[in-house]
Amino acid sequence: MNQTGPSLKRYAITRLALVVPMVFILLTLVFLLMRVAPGNPVSAALGGHAPPAVIKAISHQLGYDKPVYVQYAHYLGQIIRGNFGTTISDRRSVGSIILVNGAATLELTFFALIVAIVVGVLVGLVSGRFRDSPIDAGGRLFGIVVYATPVFFLGMLAQLVFGIWLNWLPTSDQASPITEALLQTHTNIFFIDAIIDGNWTALKDIVEHLILPATTLGIVYGGVFIRLIRINVIRTLKEDYIEAARARGINERSVVYRHAFRNALVPVITVVGLSIALLLGGAILTETTFNWPGIGHELYVYLQNRDYAAVQGIVVVFALVVVAASIVIDFATAFIDPRVRY
Amino acid sequence: MSAVLEVRNLRLWYGTARGSVRAVDGVSLEIAAGSVLGLVGESGCGKSTLGRGILGLLPEGARADGEVLYKGRNLVTMAPRELRRLRGPDLGLIFQEPMTRLNPLLRIEDHFRETLEQHESKLTDDAIRRRSLDTLGRMGIPPTRFRQYPHEFSGGMRQRIMIALALVLRPSLLVADEPTTSLDVIVEAQILRILADLKANFDTALLLITHNLGIVAEACDRVAVMYAGQIAEEGPARDVFAEPKHPYTRELLRSTISLETTELHSIPGAPPNLITPPTGCRFHPRCPDVMRVCPARDPIETRPEPDRRVLCWLYGPDGDIPPGGTEPAERERIALAEEA
Ligand SMILES: Nc1ncnc2c1ncn2[C@@H]1O[C@H](COP(=O)(O)OP(=O)(O)OP(=O)(O)O)[C@@H](O)[C@H]1O
Ligand code: SF4
Ligand SMILES: [Mg+2]
């Protein structure tokens, strides 16, 4: 294993070094896109009915009348110093939006990811293992339906059934107003804050609010994996080393679990990582449907207001998350699969 | 000596889109404890299929018919769970291709541990280690490499690891499918030595599948020559080599001897496809001795000598050959052309 150490390290360094130009290009793209898109942020922020003189004055105050390259230099300079600026429409600090609303999104996507992995992996593995059985037919049908269903449709269906008809679960917000008022802020992630305080009533309320949006997003996202995992299991069960294990009299359970499932899941890790963007996209829709105060919901609102500063900041955060995820996944794959050597 | 393995009229088909491939078609064999049966024949004649079929290891969609008696019990009709328990400690299999037979995510150690734990659950960790390292050591794999992954080994080393993995359980019957193809001559000799020791020390019965007739002459007690899913000829290795009966055996032996004398001889034509094999004797399109009866009727197995079997009309039974059936078929073809 010794000879692999340095090469893995070298790979890690190059991989990380590449992040810098990647992020730079991304920042530039976002900046340009927001400038090219039609609509004036200041007039949008003021409700679209402000007199031209007022718009002009405020534009000047915010520096939007300066040449684009000056704005660009200013923007980059700020970001390098970790300052994401202030929103135009409601003068909030973009940094705090990222922290506060980002925490809500993290909570939602984390639980959605768990639901997705449980649903996707379970249905995929069982379908692949019992290929062409009624279980498999059911699993595949579920996968296709879920894959084709828009998030908001599934979300509204869940709200209708579990919120309105059955009245089991809340259908919007991250917590009840009382919980929100009483809960102390430590991490901005409600779930964790409630645990830190040992506030079980609040935790119950928070979990109840989480169930519908996290399950909705998780099921839709999990649909992506079902087919992939199923095919991988079927293919892996045909591998020569599976037959060899059977020839050694290894019992079927070990053959399936130790040999087939493990090997079938390796490429899935990569797909989970690559589709983090998909998860974030789904989060925007889920948050809007469930009025979840996450960063995706904010992005949606600020985008409508043409709020350069807010949209820029949020998109940059999304991009950084996607980049970070791909790096983590690369290292995880290298760690699990001994053949992956760089 | 009693037979450890007795195969009776075994048939194995692969179902494919173009029809069923009759890869093994009515094969009968016996292997006694402590003896080696060599199985030879051209590529694609069903040797590997027969080897795997004995252990009941056939891909989905394949079918088996006939009897495989291991110590008197029929493996073809045995419950899968029971057969599974026999695989490993009773029935060992060394596969033809070594590169893909080890799980890439598991260390060599894991493969051995899993195998020994499965069949000898009472072994301690230490005993597992000792047994594995000992077997690997005899194959020339040093203990320092025990914790490495398959991709860190060459093809020849993986071949030896696979052999060790089969031998570590000391099976009573070992099917070795071209176990030395990717090894150099020195290692090949070592492996053959080990297999010979195995039969001497543990009374293992060995089915040795190979292309190398030199190995058969040296290491096998008996030899079976396979052609297009059938056993063309079977008998004591020395006798078969000294005096081949079946035209196919003769041609096969000639093609190796000629290599040494630098005059390349090969059997004209190629083995037939096994979906629609030639009628009558399957070798008739390539046989230098073909007679009128050959394409018309399936040959019947005869025993020209007490200890030898041949599937060829040259050896009768005369009562089953129609009048004129022993006329050379070549002449008939020419005669037909003249008449036309
Ligand atoms: N999984 C399969 N599905 C369909 N046909 C198969 C399959 N495996 C083998 N065959 C066919 O069965 C026949 C016998 O194959 P087999 O591998 O037993 O030959 P072999 O004698 O071992 O050849 P070689 O010397 O090249 O190893 C061939 O015609 C082959 O094409
Ligand atoms: S049966 Fe006829 S064709 Fe077949 S090997 Fe014998 S002589 Fe040749
Ligand atoms: Mg073969």
Side-chain angles (χ1 to χ4, degrees):
Chain A
M1 300 301 303
N2 277 340
Q3 68 269 48
T4 69
S7 62
L8 194 65
K9 202 192 268 167
R10 190 171 345 112
Y11 168 74
I13 292 169
T14 12
R15 190 80 179 71
L16 290 173
L18 277 175
V19 169
V20 176
M22 243 167 100
V23 170
F24 177 77
I25 292 170
L26 249 154
L27 290 175
T28 310
L29 263 177
V30 172
F31 176 86
L32 289 177
L33 270 176
M34 289 311 294
R35 268 31 176 215
V36 168
N40 180 320
V42 179
S43 86
L46 297 177
H49 300 295
V54 177
I55 292 177
K56 212 168 164 222
I58 293 179
S59 291
H60 177 73
Q61 193 192 332
L62 293 173
Y64 287 135
D65 55 349
K66 295 206 181 98
V68 169
Y69 61 88
V70 176
Q71 292 185 39
Y72 179 62
H74 180 68
Y75 158 75
L76 279 188
Q78 272 193 326
I79 286 192
I80 285 166
R81 275 178 266 118
N83 178 1
F84 286 88
T86 317
T87 66
I88 304 162
S89 45
D90 54 3
R91 315 296 305 157
R92 283 173 72 195
S93 133
V94 177
S96 88
I97 295 179
I98 291 164
L99 281 183
V100 176
N101 302 93
T105 298
L106 195 64
E107 186 175 85
L108 172 67
T109 47
F110 178 77
F111 285 99
L113 192 62
I114 290 178
V115 171
I117 289 173
V118 169
V119 169
V121 171
L122 220 65
V123 176
L125 288 182
V126 170
S127 277
R129 167 83 177 80
F130 301 102
R131 176 155 75 111
D132 297 335
S133 70
I135 297 182
D136 179 30
R140 285 163 77 183
L141 188 69
F142 177 78
I144 292 167
V145 167
V146 145
Y147 188 74
T149 309
V151 180
F152 61 84
F153 177 77
L154 195 67
M156 290 193 304
L157 198 68
Q159 286 172 326
L160 189 67
V161 175
F162 297 101
I164 294 166
W165 289 349
L166 297 172
N167 199 18
W168 286 349
L169 293 163
T171 57
S172 77
D173 298 320
Q174 198 184 358
S176 327
I178 311 172
T179 308
E180 258 184 79
L182 296 179
L183 194 67
Q184 304 229 299
T185 303
H186 304 283
T187 62
N188 284 319
I189 300 169
F190 283 14
F191 186 81
I192 293 178
D193 287 350
I195 292 176
I196 290 174
D197 286 349
N199 187 344
W200 309 126
T201 338
L203 188 66
K204 178 168 174 284
D205 181 58
I206 288 161
V207 169
E208 280 173 2
H209 278 81
L210 246 176
I211 291 175
L212 286 187
T215 311
T216 301
L217 179 54
I219 282 180
V220 171
Y221 186 50
V224 178
F225 306 131
I226 292 177
R227 224 171 57 131
L228 177 78
I229 293 177
R230 174 179 179 273
I231 287 171
N232 262 333
V233 168
I234 290 171
R235 195 180 300 144
T236 311
L237 279 169
K238 286 190 187 137
E239 290 280 354
D240 281 352
Y241 54 80
I242 297 283
E243 193 189 26
R246 290 199 173 117
R248 276 178 267 131
I250 306 302
N251 65 47
E252 195 59 21
R253 222 186 48 223
S254 300
V255 169
V256 168
Y257 288 103
R258 190 177 307 130
H259 294 274
F261 283 0
R262 261 184 64 164
N263 291 265
L265 288 178
V266 172
V268 176
I269 298 172
T270 311
V271 175
V272 172
L274 289 179
S275 57
I276 284 287
L278 213 67
L279 181 66
L280 291 177
I284 299 176
L285 297 175
T286 311
E287 287 174 2
T288 314
T289 310
F290 287 92
N291 196 29
W292 189 268
I295 200 170
H297 180 243
E298 298 302 297
L299 178 67
Y300 174 77
V301 173
Y302 285 120
L303 204 55
Q304 284 184 329
N305 291 342
R306 306 239 136 264
D307 193 324
Y308 293 166
V311 172
Q312 267 169 195
I314 293 170
V315 170
V316 165
V317 170
F318 274 16
L320 286 177
V321 168
V322 172
V323 169
S326 82
I327 292 174
V328 168
I329 293 305
D330 269 11
F331 288 139
T333 316
F335 184 73
I336 292 170
D337 190 339
R339 286 166 301 177
V340 182
R341 298 277 155 84
Y342 301 94
Chain B
M1 277 203 289
S2 64
V4 171
L5 182 80
E6 229 178 298
V7 176
R8 286 192 197 148
N9 200 17
L10 183 66
R11 288 170 206 280
L12 302 167
W13 307 265
Y14 294 109
T16 69
R18 288 174 297 118
S20 54
V21 180
R22 289 186 273 159
V24 170
D25 202 0
V27 164
S28 299
L29 291 173
E30 270 185 30
I31 309 178
S35 79
V36 183
L37 172 67
L39 183 62
V40 298
E42 281 167 290
S43 185
C45 65
K47 303 184 297 294
S48 298
T49 307
L50 175 58
R52 285 179 210 188
I54 288 172
L55 275 84
L57 278 176
L58 290 170
E60 251 176 83
R63 296 258 316 275
D65 178 57
E67 282 178 285
V68 175
L69 299 172
Y70 169 73
K71 294 185 176 167
R73 303 161 71 194
N74 189 358
L75 304 181
V76 174
T77 52
M78 188 178 270
R81 175 186 271 266
E82 217 174 327
L83 181 56
R84 204 264 301 149
R85 284 207 200 96
L86 290 180
R87 286 192 204 125
D90 286 84
L91 314 166
L93 176 59
I94 299 168
F95 286 96
Q96 183 172 3
E97 55 293 292
M99 293 309 278
T100 51
R101 293 291 179 182
L102 294 163
N103 186 332
L105 298 194
L106 298 183
R107 296 171 196 275
I108 302 311
E109 179 183 10
D110 302 326
H111 286 86
F112 278 89
R113 187 168 294 282
E114 170 187 66
T115 306
L116 284 166
E117 277 173 353
Q118 177 75 57
H119 298 288
E120 302 184 26
S121 49
K122 284 195 262 336
L123 282 183
T124 61
D125 258 24
D126 212 43
I128 288 178
R129 219 184 125 75
R130 227 173 323 110
R131 273 268 288 277
S132 312
L133 289 180
D134 179 55
T135 318
L136 279 170
R138 283 194 290 145
M139 291 291 150
I141 308 287
T144 47
R145 311 203 60 175
F146 195 39
R147 289 183 54 74
Q148 290 189 337
Y149 288 96
H151 74 270
E152 298 174 73
F153 294 88
S154 71
M157 289 174 115
R158 283 190 223 184
Q159 179 85 287
R160 283 180 275 159
I161 292 168
M162 288 304 304
I163 296 173
L165 208 43
L167 296 191
V168 76
L169 294 169
R170 296 172 195 140
S172 324
L173 171 75
L174 181 63
V175 175
D177 195 351
E178 312 205 14
T180 58
T181 30
S182 47
L183 303 176
D184 60 61
V185 190
I186 294 168
V187 181
E188 180 171 51
Q190 280 172 3
I191 302 284
L192 292 173
R193 172 92 262 131
I194 288 160
L195 293 179
D197 286 351
L198 200 70
K199 80 171 196 184
N201 296 336
F202 299 104
D203 227 17
T204 303
L206 184 63
L207 177 64
L208 183 62
I209 301 173
T210 178
H211 278 120
N212 189 333
L213 296 174
I215 290 181
V216 177
E218 205 173 303
C220 297
D221 303 300
R222 299 180 70 86
V223 62
V225 180
M226 200 166 176
Y227 186 76
Q230 300 176 326
I231 302 295
E233 172 164 11
E234 199 263 353
R238 201 178 309 122
D239 301 353
V240 172
F241 282 161
E243 193 213 331
K245 302 265 186 211
H246 198 286
Y248 179 60
T249 316
R250 233 170 41 219
E251 294 292 305
L252 205 61
L253 284 170
R254 216 147 78 85
S255 56
T256 38
I257 293 163
S258 306
L259 274 178
E260 283 162 10
T261 56
T262 69
E263 174 204 332
L264 194 79
H265 172 85
S266 63
I267 312 172
N273 83 64
L274 298 174
I275 298 175
T276 50
T279 57
C281 171
R282 296 188 176 178
F283 189 54
H284 85 255
R286 303 169 74 193
C287 180
D289 301 332
V290 58
M291 303 177 293
R292 281 191 187 172
V293 66
C294 302
R297 293 193 180 188
D298 289 353
I300 296 165
E301 194 173 272
T302 53
R303 293 176 182 273
E305 283 166 36
D307 205 18
R308 298 184 63 171
R309 296 187 281 148
V310 184
L311 193 66
C312 169
W313 283 118
L314 287 175
Y315 304 91
D318 294 340
D320 287 282
I321 303 176
T326 51
E327 296 287 311
E330 198 61 32
R331 217 180 294 159
E332 182 189 327
R333 218 178 286 154
I334 294 163
L336 276 174
E338 277 172 356
E339 274 168 29

